[in-house]
């Protein structure tokens, strides 16, 4: 959504210099490319896996690995395509047939529709699906435009306009409507100028703070709780605008759960581990200090939350539809019509109708009614783009094979014999399988559990790669990175495809925009990573790479490395508690009290990072609300 807003603001500003109009379709394409570029730093592992390989691998683990800029670019390009390609066939299932909501994609489509002239009829928009809202608004705009043209033609003669005693024209209903339209246009222009001014001010404040904190590092660690707490327990305050923005975007529930994790981790567990002698080093020491000790508890919470959540996503459709599927299968076996059953499903998946033009929107039946009765009567499950705007199955197959082959080539070129061919292929297969689960989770909950997917891959590779292998930790890290990248790309592209589907954009154009954006983002993110690591010390106070430590500790845990004293007892206990809490959150889905049940991932992130980050983020969000 931020990409669509910024793109609209930019092209709205330069619209007078454009030869072609900037319509909602172009807005979706801009947002798709921008999202692809912005996803790459995380998708290519530059916030977790790559720092772990560069700085956290021990010599006995054949580390650390120093990768040149060229190798980083090749690695990024190698893993940034296959997830995008694999998302194309998933679109047909989750968007066209099942009509999963993808809340962020739907919200983005509605925002773009409003930005480009839709009225503020929020109540109706909330009741209708996004596609019908966009269609209705387009029809209203066309109707209003044609009505004004008819009025203009009927009133073209000056003699028909009444005059007052002074000879001035009197206002008629038609001229009054035109005046209201002009006032509305002026108000919209003024409103957008104000929003752009606000965006520039926020950008300037953040830029000034970032530049000032570079020359005055103490701005990152203000001892508002006292010098002793700041020195002994790292309780400081970092008034970063970036954390303020994250808190506003994430919402109060997630940030409050992060705050809870920070209080439990750094206010309870850290002093406890230090006083009991379980973590004898300095608090900020990842190896022997309480910071490293807390990470094991956080990791157990993440694993418990991920296993329960992903397991439920796998079991729920079986529990909900299994009996019906089994009954249907038995009936067709009894009637000897298995072939017809398969033929019907192929026909349903292959049949599409062209989206009606804007002139025909008013005569289209409701998509809600189609979703209730269309499948039973053999009608298409959802109106889709014209066949010329869809990507051919043969193209998808060829591109998937090429992207997988290039991924294998890139990883072997960058890491050589450190990771065998079969491990790369297995990681890609797991990435494709788990990305289906991630896409479905994102479509239903708006959250893509990429962290849990990567941890499950690391756990699976612990069963494949023996711990006696000197490269076991490196292989484990790379396998998890491949899996996370594929799931992240597929999920993000599906949000974009959902927005494009609701607004009538071409899926083919969105796909190639995602490919271009991924390629550009891979190269840019590799360059930015090298720039930052050359300018700043990593890991250090400013860039502690907590995600890198989580990755490396997970790899060591599943490959047989020992835990610190008393860490496994607390980790098991925390895992059991949050497994139960995750089940409770699943049970309470859609109920008012679910937001008050702590989420495992948010609590784990809050407890594993330095205390000022989650505390400030939660405080800003609570003030914003």
């Amino acid at each position: 959504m931020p990409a669509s807003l910024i793109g609209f603001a930019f092209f709205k500003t330069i619209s007078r210099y454009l030869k072609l109009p900037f319509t909602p379709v172009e807005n979706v394409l801009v947002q798709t490319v921008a999202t692809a570029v912005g996803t790459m730093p995380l998708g290519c592992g530059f916030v977790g896996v790559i720092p772990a390989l560069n700085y956290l691998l021990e010599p006995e683990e054949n580390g650390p690995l120093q990768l040149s800029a060229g190798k980083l670019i090749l690695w990024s390009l190698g893993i940034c395509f296959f997830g995008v390609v694999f998302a194309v066939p998933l679109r047909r299932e989750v968007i066209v047939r099942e009509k999963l909501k993808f809340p962020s994609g739907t919200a983005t489509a509605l925002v773009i529709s409003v930005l480009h002239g839709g009225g503020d009829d929020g109540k109706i928009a909330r009741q209708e699906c996004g596609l019908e809202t966009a269609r209705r608004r387009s029809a209203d705009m066309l109707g209003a435009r044609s009505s004004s043209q008819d009025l203009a033609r009927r009133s073209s003669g000056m003699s028909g306009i009444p005059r007052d005693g002074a000879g001035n024209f009197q206002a008629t209903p038609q001229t009054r409507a035109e005046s209201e339209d002009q006032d509305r246009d002026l108000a919209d222009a003024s409103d957008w100028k104000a929003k752009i001014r606000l965006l520039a001010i926020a950008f300037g404040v953040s830029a000034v703070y970032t530049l000032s904190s570079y020359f005055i590092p103490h701005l990152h660690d203000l001892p508002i709780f006292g010098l002793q707490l700041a020195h002994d327990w790292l309780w400081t305050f970092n008034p970063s605008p970036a954390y303020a923005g994250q808190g506003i975007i994430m919402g109060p529930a997630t940030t409050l759960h992060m705050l809870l994790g920070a209080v439990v981790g750094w206010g309870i567990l850290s002093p406890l581990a230090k006083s009991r002698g379980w973590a004898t080093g300095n608090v900020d020491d990842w190896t022997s200090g309480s910071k490293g000790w807390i990470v094991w508890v956080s990791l157990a919470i993440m694993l418990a939350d991920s296993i329960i959540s992903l397991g439920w996503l796998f079991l729920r459709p079986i529990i909900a539809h299994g009996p019906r599927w089994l009954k249907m299968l038995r009936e067709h076996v009894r009637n000897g019509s298995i072939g017809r059953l398969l033929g019907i499903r192929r026909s349903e998946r292959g049949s599409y109708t062209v989206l009606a033009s804007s002139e025909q929107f008013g005569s289209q039946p409701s998509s809600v009614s189609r979703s209730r009765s269309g499948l039973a009567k053999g009608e298409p499950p959802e109106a889709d783009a014209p066949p010329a705007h869809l990507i051919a199955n043969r193209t998808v197959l060829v591109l998937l094979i090429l992207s997988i082959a290039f991924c294998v080539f890139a990883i072997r070129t960058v890491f050589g014999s450190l990771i065998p061919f079969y491990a790369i292929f297995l990681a890609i297969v797991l990435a494709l399988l788990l990305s289906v689960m991630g896409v479905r989770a994102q479509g239903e909950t708006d959250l893509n559990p990429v962290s849990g997917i990567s941890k499950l891959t690391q756990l699976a590779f612990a069963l494949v790669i023996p711990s006696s292998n000197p490269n076991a930790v490196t292989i484990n890290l790379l396998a998890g990175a491949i899996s996370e990248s594929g799931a992240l790309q597929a999920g993000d592209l599906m949000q974009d495809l959902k927005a494009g589907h609701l607004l009538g954009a071409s899926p083919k154009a969105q796909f190639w925009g995602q490919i271009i954006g991924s390629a550009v983002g891979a190269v840019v993110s590799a360059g930015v990573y090298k720039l930052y690591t050359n300018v700043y010390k990593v890991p250090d106070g400013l860039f502690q790479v907590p995600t890198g430590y989580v990755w490396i500790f997970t790899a060591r845990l599943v490959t047989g490395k020992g835990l610190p004293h008393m860490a496994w007892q607390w980790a098991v206990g925390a895992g059991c508690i949050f497994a139960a809490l995750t089940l409770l959150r699943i049970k309470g889905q859609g109920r008012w009290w679910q937001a008050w049940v702590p989420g495992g991932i948010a609590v784990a992130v809050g407890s594993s990072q330095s205390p000022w980050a989650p505390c400030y983020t939660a405080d800003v969000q609570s003030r914003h609300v």
Side-chain angles (χ1 to χ4, degrees):
M1 189 179 297
S4 61
L5 291 172
I6 295 173
F8 179 84
F10 175 77
F11 284 100
K12 179 81 170 180
T13 304
I14 65 171
S15 58
R16 68 183 66 181
Y17 306 107
L18 298 177
K19 295 182 179 180
L20 298 175
F22 185 68
T23 68
V25 172
E26 284 77 19
N27 208 154
V28 169
L29 296 179
V30 169
Q31 171 248 329
T32 300
V33 177
T35 302
V37 175
T39 301
M40 285 303 103
L42 180 61
C44 296
F46 289 111
V47 299
V49 173
I50 299 301
L53 294 172
N54 287 167
Y55 302 104
L56 306 181
L57 275 180
E58 300 293 342
E60 57 268 23
E61 298 166 339
N62 290 332
L65 299 179
Q66 300 300 327
L67 302 176
S68 64
K71 287 188 175 182
L72 287 177
I73 291 174
L74 183 59
W75 152 263
S76 304
L77 292 173
I79 66 172
C80 75
F81 294 125
F82 71 91
V84 176
V85 179
F86 187 67
V88 175
L90 295 181
R91 170 190 177 273
R92 183 180 303 171
E93 178 66 25
V94 299
I95 293 180
V96 178
R97 295 192 72 252
E98 299 185 23
K99 309 180 191 68
L100 296 186
K101 293 184 179 299
F102 289 95
S104 289
T106 301
T108 301
L110 290 174
V111 167
I112 291 176
S113 177
V114 172
L115 290 176
H116 288 268
D120 186 16
D121 36 10
K123 182 177 179 181
I124 299 176
R126 284 191 297 270
Q127 294 175 349
E128 299 177 350
C129 75
L131 180 59
E132 294 303 319
T133 302
R135 286 176 168 177
R136 178 179 46 76
R137 285 172 173 161
S138 299
D140 292 344
M141 292 171 61
L142 288 170
R145 187 181 306 162
S146 61
S147 299
S148 62
Q149 291 174 354
D150 291 341
L151 288 171
R153 283 195 298 268
R154 288 196 300 267
S155 59
S156 58
M158 298 294 292
S159 58
I161 302 178
R163 302 171 182 262
D164 57 15
N168 299 321
F169 289 109
Q170 292 182 352
T172 64
Q174 147 256 335
T175 55
R176 189 178 298 112
E178 291 178 354
S179 177
E180 291 175 355
D181 290 340
Q182 293 176 357
D183 293 341
R184 190 181 301 111
D185 292 340
L186 292 174
D188 291 342
S190 176
D191 185 44
W192 274 111
K193 288 180 180 179
K195 292 180 180 178
I196 293 175
R197 189 182 304 113
L198 179 62
L199 181 66
I201 293 173
F203 181 86
V205 170
S206 180
V208 169
Y209 172 82
T210 303
L211 186 62
S212 301
S213 62
Y214 177 79
F215 294 102
I216 310 175
H218 291 293
L219 289 176
H220 291 293
D221 299 294
L222 301 178
I224 63 172
F225 302 104
L227 291 174
Q228 183 177 358
L229 288 176
H231 180 268
D232 295 343
W233 303 108
L234 306 183
W235 278 97
T236 58
F237 179 69
N238 181 0
S240 171
Y243 289 117
Q246 290 173 4
I248 293 172
I249 291 173
M250 286 189 294
T254 302
T255 52
L256 288 176
H257 297 165
M258 291 175 63
L259 177 60
L260 174 64
V263 172
V264 171
W266 294 92
I268 299 176
L269 295 182
S270 177
L272 181 65
K274 181 75 172 179
S275 62
R276 295 296 182 89
W278 304 336
T280 57
N282 294 329
V283 173
D284 60 348
D285 192 329
W286 284 98
T287 304
S288 60
S290 57
K291 178 186 286 188
W293 192 91
I294 294 172
V295 167
W296 296 103
V297 180
S298 303
L299 182 58
I301 295 173
M302 286 185 183
L303 287 174
D305 184 277
S306 301
I307 292 173
I308 297 298
S309 300
L310 295 178
W312 172 245
L313 286 175
F314 176 77
L315 291 176
R316 182 170 62 176
I318 297 177
I319 295 173
H321 306 292
R324 180 171 59 85
W325 292 341
L326 185 59
K327 181 180 179 181
M328 184 184 302
L329 180 61
R330 286 176 178 173
E331 291 179 354
H332 282 280
V333 170
R334 189 182 303 114
N335 299 331
S337 57
I338 290 293
R340 186 168 63 87
L341 173 64
L342 298 176
I344 290 175
R345 293 194 66 82
R346 284 194 298 267
S347 175
E348 285 181 358
R349 293 192 178 193
S351 59
Y352 295 98
T353 57
V354 179
L355 276 177
S357 63
S358 56
E359 290 82 4
Q360 299 171 315
F361 282 165
S363 62
Q364 288 292 321
S366 168
S367 67
V368 177
S369 63
R370 284 200 305 270
S371 66
R372 292 176 179 172
S373 60
L375 292 177
K377 296 180 181 180
E379 297 177 5
E382 179 75 64
D384 201 2
H389 292 173
L390 299 174
I391 304 172
N393 293 334
R394 181 180 301 177
T395 303
V396 174
L397 180 60
V398 171
L399 290 177
L400 185 60
I401 294 174
L402 291 177
S403 61
I404 292 175
F406 181 61
C407 178
V408 174
F409 165 77
I411 294 175
R412 284 289 293 188
T413 302
V414 173
F415 296 100
S417 59
L418 287 177
I419 179 170
F421 279 109
Y422 75 89
I424 302 175
F425 281 111
L426 178 59
I428 294 174
V429 171
L430 287 176
L432 297 180
L433 293 177
L434 292 175
S435 65
V436 176
M437 192 178 301
V439 165
R440 185 171 297 278
Q442 192 157 20
E444 296 175 353
T445 68
D446 209 33
L447 296 175
N448 192 347
V450 292
S451 177
I453 287 173
S454 63
K455 300 299 178 288
L456 288 179
T457 303
Q458 289 184 272
L459 191 61
F461 262 76
L463 305 175
V464 177
I465 305 298
S467 58
S468 58
N469 189 323
N471 300 319
V473 174
T474 301
I475 295 172
N476 196 275
L477 290 172
L478 294 176
I482 294 171
S483 178
E484 183 181 62
S485 178
L488 183 66
Q489 295 160 20
D492 283 352
L493 176 59
M494 207 61 65
Q495 293 277 21
D496 298 334
L497 290 174
K498 178 68 175 183
H501 177 69
L502 297 178
L503 293 173
S506 167
K508 182 185 293 185
Q510 286 188 274
F511 168 75
W512 289 114
Q514 186 87 0
I515 290 290
I516 295 171
S518 298
V520 173
V523 176
V524 171
S525 58
V528 171
Y529 175 80
K530 291 298 291 185
L531 176 64
Y532 269 80
T533 53
N534 288 333
V535 173
Y536 297 97
K537 182 181 179 181
V538 179
D540 198 8
L542 183 58
F543 295 101
Q544 302 179 36
V545 291
T547 307
Y549 280 99
V550 170
W551 274 93
I552 195 74
F553 284 171
T554 304
R556 289 169 181 167
L557 173 63
V558 299
T559 53
K561 292 283 185 177
L563 279 70
H565 183 56
M566 290 298 295
W568 76 267
Q569 291 93 333
W570 283 86
V572 170
C576 293
I577 291 173
F578 276 89
L581 290 176
T582 303
L583 289 173
L584 186 61
R585 286 178 60 84
I586 293 173
K587 179 69 175 177
Q589 202 162 33
R591 303 183 182 180
W592 66 268
W593 51 265
Q594 190 216 28
W596 296 97
V597 180
I601 298 297
V603 171
V605 170
S607 61
S608 62
Q609 296 197 36
S610 294
W612 43 258
C615 290
Y616 178 52
T617 303
D619 178 69
V620 168
Q621 176 59 46
S622 63
R623 292 174 183 272
H624 175 70
V625 173

